[in-house]
Amino acid sequence: MSARDLFHEAVKRALQKQQWAITHDPLELELDEVTLKIDLGAERLIAAERGGEKIAVEVKSFASPSAVSEFHTALGQFLNYQIMIEENEPDRFLYLAVPLETYETFFQTRLAQIAVLRHQLSLLIYDPILEEIVQWIS
């Protein structure tokens, strides 16, 4: 099992610890002739519900050598998923799951902070070792 698979499961267990029920793993999104099939590998979308709240979580490990490159990919995916969710399930809220260490380093850079604000990214900060959600930022 790859490190990314571990992170996916860690986020899933962290959500379950906070009483979220996993309803889709992954959540597939379609818009007219465009179908987004989320890669079943490391980075998958988890959908969950809790007390009438619906969320979708894109799990990112930021395990590659370039956090900038991985952020670029994550941001593009997030924006596409946001469009699809707004069109298909407007009552579902999208989060980008980011490991705590990456949040404390890369996400403190000015580039990341501007991008998060400009694109209104909602973040779920998780500890992959403790399998716990550290912070929700929306």
Side-chain angles (χ1 to χ4, degrees), residues 94-135:
L94 179 62
Y95 286 90
L96 177 65
V98 176
L100 178 60
E101 183 179 338
T102 301
Y103 179 73
E104 291 177 338
T105 55
F106 177 75
F107 277 79
Q108 300 311 308
T109 65
R110 188 159 182 244
L111 171 66
Q113 290 184 349
I114 290 171
V116 167
L117 285 175
R118 184 166 296 169
H119 298 292
Q120 301 179 345
L121 299 181
S122 294
L123 303 176
L124 182 163
I125 314 305
Y126 67 93
D127 183 325
I129 305 299
L130 299 177
E131 298 182 343
E132 292 180 351
I133 296 169
V134 176
Q135 186 175 2

